Amino acid sequence: MKKLFTLALAAALVCFMVLPVGAAAKPVSELCEYSGSPDSFWVTENYDGAAPKTRAKAASGLPETFDLRNAGGVSFVSSVKNQGNTNSCWAFTSLSCLETFLRRKTFESSGELIGYDFSERHLEHATYPAMQDGTNPYAPACRSANAGGNVVSAAGYFQNGLGPVPESSMPFENKMDTLSRADIQIAPAAAVRAMRYFPKFTSNIFDYNYHELITGIKEEIYRGGGVSAVMNTNVGGYNADGTAYHSAERTGTANHAITLIGWDDNFRRENFGADKPEGNGAWIVRDSAGESAHDGGYFYLSYESVDTYNMCFSVTDAADSIPYDNVYSVTSGTWAYGRGYENNDDMAYAANIYAKQPVPELLTDVGLSFRGYTEYEIYLNANNQDLTPENLTLAAKGTQDHMGFATVTLPEPVLLTGTEFAIVIKYVTPGYSYSVPVSIPPFCPEISQGCSYLSPDGETWEDTALSDCVVGIYGYTKDCGEKSAVSFSKLGKTYVTVYDEGGRLIRPKADGSYALAAGTYRYIAEEQALGRAEGTFVTDGFTSRNLELSRTDFVEQPESDMPYVKVKEIAYRATVEPAEFATLNLYMGKAEGFKLYYEPPSGGQAEVEEQFLSVDAGGRVRLSREFLTPFLECGEGGVSLLVVFTGSNGLEMKTDTCRVVFTKSAFGGVFSALANVIYNPTESVNRAYVEQLIKKNLAIGGQVEIKQYDVAYPTKTQNGFLTCDILVLDAFSGRYYQFAFHGEVPRVLQEVTLQNGNYRVRVRNNVEGIRTVSVCAEYGPGGRLLSVTYKNVALIESSFSYPDKGNRVKLFVLSAEDFITPYAPAFDSDFTK
């Protein structure tokens, strides 16, 4: 079998070796409001951050000025909204893109201008797992309430058919709160069928340079709707009246998401504040700070604010109705990484297996993601999970020319008759081996075996759970068999789960109702204040049923002021050096105190001692690492707790239960942490720091041996040096990984590649305080100097393009103070062509 591998960090300072088979993941930026994207979305970090004055010239076929607020006399932009004190900017821009797209699509097809308005609050709260009353099984595991988000969060929400829902169904509230699972069970009002992700950096695969990126964004706005973008408000600044913003500094991070709704190539550079761009031109931005901010809620953003392009995306296909009855998926997350096979003609196969009810359904559409230009074929086994080629039928094929996801409508719907079916995708990405988009923890919940597979040839299959990833393939079906519509009349905030006779969990519709074949089913109803109710019911496959739940159905019927445990399952990452504490979320009501009891590994029941408990500023109870460690070390999957609430007299008022669940830790976190340390050298990093860093990310039971770690980090006057050899045993996968590097750590790094008639230059300053310029000298026959061009390098990193005119070129990195002192070895084209 060919060796399965993962896209690794493209850092000049890192050499990652795996023995015998390894999986490496790229780092994820965790930011205060806007959670940054996984860098592997963008393939490499070779970004063309140049800002030449010629950039403002209108692209072919595009006007110099365009504004979705007045596109041919029609506004496709909804009124400006205000996110208040929440961290939901990402949700506002995601739905702004959808609203503008649908307004325009509907108007152009029917002449009717519909004011679509979707709920940001629902998008925010339907995409985190730890809810008040338990775990939301359809949310990506990487989010928490009001902690920011990104396209990963929004795309998973759309692909799984969770939303969007009308604003009137869940109006915005300026609260930093958490909700219950029942709160988010609302029927969606639209279907997002495709999204486009714009490349962040130029690569040797997607050949998408800076100017092409701007043109691509303009084309999307001109022909579709708004484009989501980001900015880093900690650098640069606005002009005096807050209507124009520019930052030339490239930080590679972002803390706020916005929507680009137009542009003006002639917006003068003099309109910006003290930090002015080199040339004219700006985006028209719709913010989410209310109409009192900026100019009625809008401002201009310089084309040269390079952090804007850290992540851009748009909605490219959507419908204002739901064209399917059922959604089949094996993950709540969308793709964040790539998997493929070495020396395999840039080809790979992926398959997902789904269980369904024993009545016929029509598979009408298949949802899949793309890492860039992809030639794909969709195969089906409509009756069972057999993946052998002779049992698969070609259902559709096509090409996709950009990153993102799309919903492919099958030329002929396929009848699904069994209780299982399989969707197989053949991916071909010419010139690129990481063909298959996959999701890994924490972008998806715990991965189960037997549902997702990868193959180099479509014949030999490997379960993706063994390499800690899952493929996001979605099946959308219409009911054509006999089913009963089943709903529940709920009390309070009741959340109901339903199981068939075999114990298989049935996925509800987004609004919490069910469509069930004839049979006997078991339900479990949970309500925070009432407790838990269980029962069975029968459907005939024809008759609709509404099951009424009464207070007598629940095991407990406390008063509304009775205490209870808000969150039944508390995630605690099981690493060699775990977190300091697990946080319990208790509602005290009229209780004056509580006691915690647990079952020790030796058996029996014991009370948690006070030395292991503390209360944070928000009144939440913390259970210390010292208490949890013995359970981790003996291989327990968690700790079950009995909570006894007591009244003012010290007597028992009520008991409740919860469980601290030890979550698995993938090795990707170790690799990301180490790669980030080496790639961003600082003097505070030493052997002890590196060992602690590994242990914080390494699954419990793993081991680390630092055979060698000798470092001298660079200074302003000389380069540094690093020799490291680190061996890590990952208990989760049972594999050994070796992380090794031997070589110089330069003060300044210059990387040069020749792509499509341009020298692409990337310069990185590894020492604080160094200011440099990139200099391009062009020579003619006989060594005659023809021209010299220089460009300033940002404090940390910049990338530039210089045209290859066929002459000899030398590229230097010099001190910005004297234009003489070299900071990196010169590049000479005569010695490289």
Side-chain angles (χ1 to χ4, degrees):
M1 178 183 294
K2 296 178 182 289
K3 187 174 81 171
L4 180 69
F5 65 96
T6 302
L7 179 62
L9 180 65
L13 303 180
V14 177
C15 173
F16 184 68
M17 295 176 290
V18 181
L19 304 173
V21 177
K26 299 182 73 178
V28 178
S29 302
E30 294 295 339
L31 303 167
C32 61
E33 179 180 354
Y34 186 85
S35 296
S37 68
D39 282 340
S40 59
F41 264 126
W42 319 116
V43 186
T44 71
E45 296 195 358
N46 193 16
Y47 177 68
D48 182 0
K53 296 178 182 178
T54 57
R55 184 183 64 260
K57 297 172 74 172
S60 176
L62 292 172
E64 294 184 350
T65 301
F66 182 75
D67 190 339
L68 282 171
R69 293 173 297 177
N70 185 12
V74 179
S75 175
F76 298 116
V77 183
S78 60
S79 60
V80 173
K81 298 182 179 181
N82 192 339
Q83 70 181 76
N85 298 323
T86 72
N87 290 325
S88 300
C89 61
W90 66 278
F92 279 81
T93 183
S94 297
L95 294 180
S96 175
C97 292
L98 172 59
E99 290 164 357
T100 54
F101 177 87
L102 274 179
R103 280 188 177 210
R104 186 170 191 168
K105 177 183 177 182
T106 304
F107 180 80
E108 292 179 349
S109 62
S110 67
E112 184 178 6
L113 189 62
I114 299 177
Y116 295 103
D117 188 8
F118 300 114
S119 171
E120 293 81 11
R121 183 165 168 80
H122 187 266
L123 174 53
E124 165 70 46
H125 288 282
T127 52
Y128 61 83
M131 310 204 75
Q132 287 181 358
D133 59 341
T135 300
N136 175 9
Y138 307 109
C142 58
R143 283 204 68 236
S144 56
N146 291 296
N150 56 30
V151 66
V152 177
S153 312
Y157 172 81
F158 293 139
Q159 286 177 292
N160 274 283
L162 303 178
V165 307
E167 173 71 14
S168 58
S169 297
M170 184 177 281
F172 175 76
E173 295 183 34
N174 189 17
K175 294 180 179 180
M176 302 282 283
D177 57 353
T178 58
L179 301 181
S180 70
R181 290 172 293 177
D183 288 326
I184 62 171
Q185 289 188 318
I186 302 172
V192 177
R193 294 176 53 84
M195 293 177 70
R196 178 179 182 178
Y197 310 154
F198 290 88
K200 175 180 177 181
F201 303 118
T202 298
S203 73
N204 58 354
I205 305 125
F206 298 118
D207 187 28
Y208 211 97
N209 69 30
Y210 183 79
H211 310 293
E212 290 172 329
L213 175 59
I214 289 180
T215 301
I217 294 173
K218 286 182 177 180
E219 289 174 343
E220 201 62 55
I221 298 172
Y222 189 63
R223 296 177 174 84
V227 171
S228 176
V230 295
M231 58 191 295
N232 188 336
T233 58
N234 294 326
V235 296
Y238 291 93
N239 60 2
D241 60 4
T243 59
Y245 176 91
H246 169 66
S247 171
E249 184 174 348
R250 180 198 166 197
T251 67
T253 61
N255 60 10
H256 186 53
I258 52 178
T259 307
L260 309 180
I261 59 144
W263 68 86
D264 184 351
D265 290 340
N266 301 312
F267 190 83
R268 296 187 60 80
R269 63 183 296 274
E270 289 79 11
N271 294 332
F272 293 93
D275 186 8
K276 288 181 170 52
E278 293 185 20
N280 298 335
W283 299 110
I284 302 172
V285 175
R286 178 185 189 260
D287 205 354
S288 54
E291 294 183 352
S292 61
H294 313 301
D295 182 8
Y298 297 87
F299 66 92
Y300 287 92
L301 175 67
S302 166
Y303 290 149
E304 298 175 24
S305 297
V306 293
D307 278 337
T308 296
Y309 312 108
N310 281 341
M311 173 181 276
C312 296
F313 66 88
S314 63
V315 173
T316 56
D317 189 16
D320 60 2
S321 60
I322 308 301
Y324 52 80
D325 294 319
N326 308 290
V327 180
Y328 289 92
S329 70
V330 297
T331 177
S332 60
T334 188
W335 72 274
Y337 296 87
R339 291 282 168 98
Y341 294 90
E342 294 176 338
N343 305 317
N344 200 51
D345 297 325
D346 305 319
M347 174 186 68
Y349 289 77
N352 280 357
I353 293 171
Y354 310 92
K356 60 177 287 292
Q357 296 188 57
V359 291
E361 296 176 17
L362 280 177
L363 180 68
T364 59
D365 297 85
V366 172
L368 59 160
S369 298
F370 305 94
R371 293 182 54 75
Y373 177 83
T374 304
E375 301 165 4
Y376 65 87
E377 296 176 358
I378 302 174
Y379 296 86
L380 301 174
N381 183 335
N383 302 307
N384 54 59
Q385 59 176 287
D386 192 340
L387 300 179
T388 55
E390 56 267 24
N391 289 305
L392 299 176
T393 301
L394 179 64
K397 62 181 179 179
T399 60
Q400 178 83 345
D401 63 358
H402 57 257
M403 289 187 290
F405 78 79
T407 306
V408 178
T409 299
L410 303 183
E412 296 291 336
V414 176
L415 182 65
L416 308 176
T417 57
T419 58
E420 293 177 318
F421 69 98
I423 301 177
V424 176
I425 310 295
K426 177 184 177 182
Y427 299 87
V428 178
T429 50
Y432 189 57
S433 298
Y434 309 99
S435 309
V436 182
V438 299
S439 185
I440 71 170
F443 297 98
C444 59
E446 185 172 327
I447 298 169
S448 301
Q449 293 189 26
C451 63
S452 191
Y453 297 86
L454 291 172
S455 171
D457 52 16
E459 298 182 5
T460 304
W461 295 92
E462 178 179 349
D463 194 318
T464 62
L466 301 178
S467 53
D468 202 27
C469 69
V470 65
V471 183
I473 303 172
Y474 298 81
Y476 301 94
T477 70
K478 296 283 289 184
D479 289 330
C480 60
E482 298 166 345
K483 290 184 179 179
S484 294
V486 177
S487 58
F488 293 83
S489 294
K490 303 173 181 179
L491 296 171
K493 296 182 177 182
T494 303
Y495 183 81
V496 179
T497 50
V498 172
Y499 301 83
D500 65 14
E501 290 181 279
R504 182 174 65 89
L505 176 67
I506 305 296
R507 177 171 177 161
K509 295 184 180 296
D511 62 0
S513 65
Y514 290 84
L516 302 172
T520 301
Y521 297 87
R522 180 172 68 93
Y523 72 85
I524 297 176
E526 299 171 280
E527 210 284 332
Q528 294 184 35
L530 297 176
R532 177 185 175 108
E534 297 187 33
T536 59
F537 64 94
V538 177
T539 61
D540 59 11
F542 298 96
T543 309
S544 297
R545 295 203 58 183
N546 179 58
L547 302 176
E548 295 190 10
L549 300 176
S550 66
R551 297 178 68 90
T552 57
D553 292 320
F554 290 86
V555 176
E556 296 177 340
Q557 304 170 53
E559 299 294 333
S560 60
D561 56 6
M562 291 293 283
Y564 61 91
V565 176
K566 286 186 176 182
V567 179
K568 294 291 188 179
E569 293 186 355
I570 303 99
Y572 185 76
R573 186 169 287 279
T575 55
V576 174
E577 187 169 311
E580 293 185 16
F581 48 80
T583 302
L584 312 185
N585 201 339
L586 310 180
Y587 172 72
M588 296 301 293
K590 288 189 175 181
E592 295 291 331
F594 68 91
K595 295 180 179 180
L596 292 180
Y597 294 89
Y598 69 100
E599 182 181 339
S602 58
Q605 188 180 76
E607 183 178 351
V608 179
E609 299 178 27
E610 289 187 5
Q611 69 188 64
F612 299 128
L613 295 173
S614 62
V615 180
D616 68 10
R620 291 167 295 191
V621 178
R622 291 175 169 179
L623 199 57
S624 73
R625 174 171 55 197
E626 289 72 22
F627 172 78
L628 296 168
T629 298
F631 296 92
L632 288 169
E633 293 176 343
C634 68
E636 296 287 339
V639 182
S640 296
L641 300 170
L642 174 67
V643 185
V644 178
F645 295 96
T646 56
S648 57
N649 54 6
L651 297 179
E652 177 182 319
M653 279 183 70
K654 179 188 173 183
T655 62
D656 204 346
T657 60
C658 61
R659 181 172 175 80
V660 179
V661 179
F662 300 151
T663 59
K664 297 176 180 178
S665 177
F667 182 75
V670 175
F671 175 81
S672 299
L674 282 174
N676 197 44
V677 166
I678 304 303
Y679 189 54
N680 300 282
T682 63
E683 294 182 357
S684 62
V685 178
N686 52 37
R687 186 188 189 101
Y689 177 89
V690 171
E691 183 174 4
Q692 183 184 44
L693 187 67
I694 295 173
K695 290 180 177 180
K696 285 183 177 180
N697 289 274
L698 185 61
I700 187 72
Q703 298 177 16
V704 55
E705 179 184 357
I706 301 182
K707 296 182 176 182
Q708 186 176 11
Y709 194 88
D710 299 319
V711 60
Y713 279 115
T715 66
K716 286 187 177 181
T717 58
Q718 63 183 8
N719 292 332
F721 194 88
L722 173 65
T723 299
C724 69
D725 187 0
I726 303 171
L727 190 63
V728 179
L729 169 62
D730 177 31
F732 180 53
S733 65
R735 300 171 180 169
Y736 281 92
Y737 297 81
Q738 185 180 13
F739 191 96
F741 176 79
H742 176 77
E744 191 174 66
V745 180
R747 293 174 295 169
V748 177
L749 178 69
Q750 177 178 240
E751 295 178 340
V752 181
T753 58
L754 182 60
Q755 296 180 15
N756 299 305
N758 289 285
Y759 290 100
R760 309 304 303 279
V761 182
R762 171 174 170 264
V763 181
R764 177 177 176 82
N765 295 333
N766 283 329
V767 178
E768 184 178 355
I770 286 183
R771 299 303 300 266
T772 58
V773 293
S774 171
V775 179
C776 175
E778 184 180 4
Y779 300 86
R784 182 169 59 91
L785 181 64
L786 299 178
S787 66
V788 176
T789 305
Y790 77 90
K791 298 180 180 181
N792 290 316
V793 178
L795 289 177
I796 300 176
E797 183 176 332
S798 290
S799 296
F800 310 104
S801 287
Y802 298 105
D804 177 17
K805 300 177 182 179
N807 298 316
R808 181 182 183 182
V809 168
K810 289 185 179 181
L811 298 168
F812 308 89
V813 179
L814 305 179
S815 167
E817 298 175 358
D818 59 18
F819 277 69
I820 296 175
T821 305
Y823 270 113
F827 169 89
D828 190 335
S829 62
D830 273 9
F831 296 97
T832 58
K833 286 188 175 180

